[in-house]
Each structure stands twice: as C-alpha cells, then as structure tokens.
Amino acid sequence: MKSYVLSAASAVAIIASNAAYAGPEAEVLHYWTSGGEARSVAVLQEEFAANGGTWTDMPVAGGGGDAAMTALRARVLSGNAPTAVQLKGPAIQEWYAEGVLADISAVAEAEGWADLLPASIAAHMQCDGTWCAAPVNVHRVDWIWANAEILSANGIEMPTTWEEFNAAAETLMAAGIIPLAHGGQAWQDATVFETVALGVGGPEFYQQALVNLDPEALTSDTMVAVFDQMRIMRGFVDPNFSGRDWNLATAMVMNGEAAFQIMGDWAKGEFIAGGQEPGVDFLCASTPGDGYLYNVDSFAMFAVEGEDKQAGQALLAELVMGQNFQEVFNLNKGSIPARTDVSLDAFDSCAQTSAADMASTSEAGTLLPSYAHGMALFGAQSGAITDVVTAHFNSDMTSQDAVQMLADAVANSM
Ligand code: BGC
C-alpha cells in the first residue's frame, strides 16, 4: 500500500506548517449493519487504521439506506457534514449540485481510476468532469437465492421462467413450506418489483419504464402484467412479512424456514457470514429473463474543514479503490470488485456468474441501473414509483389501478 495521503508532497507541507496535524481521520456514515455487511466494512476500518487513520463510525441501520439518507440530510443541513458517506447513483450528482461535495480528483488521477474502471461505473463517480465519489463494488440486484435442501427434497430446480417460479411456489405451499422469504419494507417490495419488471417485460421495457419513465411503457399492458405477477407473489409470502429486515428474510432461507428470496447479492454476504456454501447449502441464479440490474456502492466525501479530515478523505478514497481492499471487501460483501484488474480466482461461482453476465450484458446493451437501489433516477422519482409498488403489494388494488397510479405519481414527480 502506498503511503501517500493527499500527495506525499502536500502532506509533508501540511505537517511542516501545522503542528496540530494528528493524522488522517474520518467520520464515516454508512448503513452496513447486518452480519455480512459489518464484516465487510470492518475490512475498510482495519486498512484505515493500519495506515494511521482514526475512524469514527456512524452506522445508521436500515436496509437500502433510506434512514441513512435522512440522517445525512439532517447533518448537512446543520452544517456538520460527515467526512465520508456511503452514497451512490444520481444522489451523488444531486449532492454535488448543492455544492457540498469535496473534489477527490487528485487521488483519482494519481491512482489512474479512469483506466481501472469500466466507463459506465466511472461515469457515476464523476461530477462536471471532476471525481466526486469512489466505487467499492458492483452488486447485482436480480438474483434468486434458494435453500438447496428444500429444493432437492421437493424435486424443484431453480426456476428459469416466472411460470416455473410460480409452479415451484405452489408445490412448496402444498408441502407446507413458505415459498418466498420477504421483508415487507418499501425498498424490498421495490427490489422484487424491478426484477419482475425486467423479467416479465424484458430489458428494453425496463429501460423505457423505469429509467426513461416513458408514459407509454408505464401505462402499457406489460406493466399490468408486471403488477399481476406481483399480486401472485404476494400470495407466496408468510403472514408475518410486514416490516421484516432483509437479513432476517435471508436467515429464513438459511434456516430452512423458507425456500427462496429475491434480493441483491448482499444476501450472499449473509449466507457466507453464516458459514454456508454456494452450490451446497444455498443456490443462486439470476431472476428469470435477460439483463442485469447493477447497483454500485460508493463513497462520496463531503466538503469539511481541517487538514486531518481532508487527509482522511484522501486516504479513504485511495484505500477503497485499492486492489486488496476490493478483493477482500467484496469476498465478504457478496458483490464483485468495481476495478477490472482484480483477479476473481478467490471468488465463488455466484460471483463468477455475476462478472460473466455483467460483461455479456454490457456487450448486448442490457446492463441496466437498478431503480430500487438508487442507480437510475433522482430520489423524488424513484420514491414516487416505490410508493405505488408498496401500496399495491399491501392492498387488493387491481393491476389496472396500480398502473394508473404509477403514471400519475411519476408525472407529478417530474
Ligand atoms: C446497498 C448494499 C446494502 C443493501 C442492504 C443496498 O442498497 O447497495 O450495500 O448491503 O442495500 O442494506
């Protein structure tokens, strides 16, 4: 690990000119609080400390990060922004537009990030030509996880179509097994919804409806069919699903209480943290249909005063893009490295599938940003969609009414 903080020359200048300089420090706001997530962020804390940094942890529990984003807004509004924040997608550019982000171009250029990242990922990290965030990984959202033993005991293969999924779920229900482990939180409903939209409608439909917000796609018969499938899936969850955290839903699959979960590959971090092995204890497959929904975690630095904090930001930015960190963090997190030059030899078959599918979908033009995980839309728009998805899932609203409500909500959010 190189030891420069800022550039080596400016660090020396700072130390010489400022006797009070005590070394890099960072207060880090993140929402990695589940078992697998905590193991992952610990890797960064350890590397930061090993490089002389002092880490102040600000974890805000709540999957998907909604609570963390509320906490962030309160801190920024009170003029006391955290040094580094787990932030991603267009929210990075939204914060940049408010003039509160630090420029980390010096580190990015010194480390050659432009050559180490796929162009699509690099674009998410840039604001008006400067570097404003550092990526840690690529999570895939469109995954089905399954308990291997339950599937084999019931003669079920991993479903490759939604019809097969529905048929498998019926078989499981008849056998008294909960087919789908789900947590009734809006972001989890949205996660399932976007995989269904991709699978039922195909990548072009997903792009039109959930990225371009095209009114025709939003009100199409295909969107009706997407809500129809959501209604069917509502019948596959247990009665206690409301409010359940995503990692508790994963635990249901791990413990054999439920057969499947549809969730991004941070769920794999839970299986791994629980000592389970892919292909043996649990199975992974992309959700039925073509395409790949990506979700890139990253850190943005907020404009803060003080040499210690600024040195901390530069050190963090350098570390998260480091080769070793990208390997070890992602082995724990369930994701794959954002850097293209990290060997995948140590990664399991789910990660290998993810990397291969990311390459082939990128080639085919079907590598798509996850709307549910903040990669595709501004907050007001994704929030408007998620409100409708969740209102439909938790009521007996018809698919036609949901589609009309969706079109109206999106139109009002623009
Ligand atoms: C984040 C993951 C996180 C998951 C659950 C996703 O939006 O990208 O890093 O593990 O939410 O909180």
Side-chain angles (χ1 to χ4, degrees):
M1 177 63 53
K2 264 185 287 143
S3 63
Y4 91 91
V5 171
L6 304 176
S7 72
S10 57
V12 170
I14 288 164
I15 293 164
S17 70
N18 180 359
Y21 177 75
E25 71 174 46
E27 184 193 10
V28 185
L29 192 163
H30 63 89
Y31 50 95
W32 287 328
T33 55
S34 76
E37 291 173 333
R39 275 163 52 119
S40 311
V41 74
V43 175
L44 187 54
Q45 293 171 345
E46 281 154 22
E47 282 201 5
F48 196 64
N51 284 272
T54 306
W55 174 293
T56 305
D57 206 31
M58 190 186 171
V60 181
D66 293 337
M69 294 305 105
T70 305
L72 172 62
R73 182 146 292 281
R75 287 285 303 267
V76 176
L77 284 178
S78 68
N80 178 28
T83 6
V85 178
Q86 183 196 345
L87 195 67
K88 60 184 169 169
I92 298 169
Q93 284 75 26
E94 281 185 290
W95 281 109
Y96 173 82
E98 296 197 25
V100 292
L101 292 193
D103 184 351
I104 55 171
S105 301
V107 178
E109 278 156 22
E111 299 287 319
W113 289 4
D115 299 328
L116 296 173
L117 295 171
S120 52
I121 295 184
H124 282 292
M125 307 298 138
Q126 290 171 328
C127 299
D128 277 347
T130 68
W131 290 85
C132 46
V136 297
N137 63 5
V138 180
H139 270 306
R140 183 179 198 171
V141 179
D142 50 318
W143 282 116
I144 300 193
W145 308 94
N147 178 298
E149 202 178 305
I150 294 184
L151 259 51
S152 83
N154 290 276
I156 293 170
E157 301 278 328
M158 279 303 251
T160 58
T161 64
W162 289 102
E163 291 72 27
E164 279 176 23
F165 177 83
N166 296 345
E170 295 291 349
T171 305
L172 290 160
M173 285 215 294
I177 297 160
I178 301 167
L180 185 60
H182 182 64
Q185 297 174 344
W187 73 273
Q188 294 186 60
D189 299 339
T191 300
V192 173
F193 173 78
E194 71 175 6
T195 69
V196 171
L198 177 69
V200 169
E204 178 61 24
F205 168 77
Y206 179 95
Q207 169 79 34
Q208 289 303 332
L210 297 178
V211 182
N212 301 349
L213 303 180
D214 171 45
E216 235 174 81
L218 288 169
T219 54
S220 61
D221 290 346
T222 308
M223 191 57 92
V224 173
V226 170
F227 280 105
D228 287 348
Q229 176 62 20
M230 289 301 285
R231 176 61 66 238
I232 294 172
M233 290 168 81
R234 172 67 178 78
F236 298 151
V237 308
D238 67 305
N240 300 320
F241 78 107
S242 266
R244 175 186 290 137
D245 287 330
W246 67 272
N247 51 319
L248 300 182
T250 309
M252 289 170 69
V253 177
M254 289 168 64
N255 302 337
E257 279 170 67
F260 295 113
Q261 183 184 22
I262 294 177
M263 186 49 67
D265 42 23
W266 46 93
K268 196 184 75 186
E270 296 304 297
F271 286 107
I272 303 287
Q276 298 210 344
E277 251 187 78
V280 179
D281 307 301
F282 71 95
L283 307 175
C284 65
S286 56
T287 49
D290 296 333
Y292 182 117
L293 298 181
Y294 71 85
N295 168 27
V296 176
D297 284 312
S298 46
F299 280 100
M301 310 300 160
F302 278 67
V304 286
E305 306 267 318
E307 314 294 7
D308 297 0
K309 290 179 176 173
Q310 289 167 4
Q313 293 179 324
L315 177 58
L316 258 187
E318 185 199 342
L319 291 176
V320 301
M321 266 293 286
Q323 236 173 345
N324 178 62
F325 171 76
Q326 293 245 332
E327 177 175 357
V328 181
F329 174 89
N330 286 305
L331 283 169
N332 287 306
K333 190 69 173 67
S335 34
I336 56 174
R339 275 176 79 130
T340 48
D341 64 344
V342 176
S343 160
L344 292 178
D345 290 354
F347 285 77
D348 60 37
S349 57
C350 307
Q352 309 272 356
T353 300
S354 179
D357 289 357
M358 185 174 159
S360 64
T361 55
S362 172
E363 192 74 9
T366 57
L367 176 63
L368 294 158
S370 159
Y371 114 77
H373 292 275
M375 298 304 299
L377 302 170
F378 288 128
Q381 298 162 342
S382 58
I385 297 173
T386 299
D387 285 350
V388 176
V389 168
T390 237
H392 169 267
F393 199 69
N394 290 291
S395 69
D396 56 6
M397 189 188 297
T398 65
S399 300
Q400 282 75 11
D401 285 351
V403 160
Q404 190 53 53
M405 197 190 233
L406 182 67
D408 293 346
V410 168
N412 289 333
S413 73
M414 308 265 241

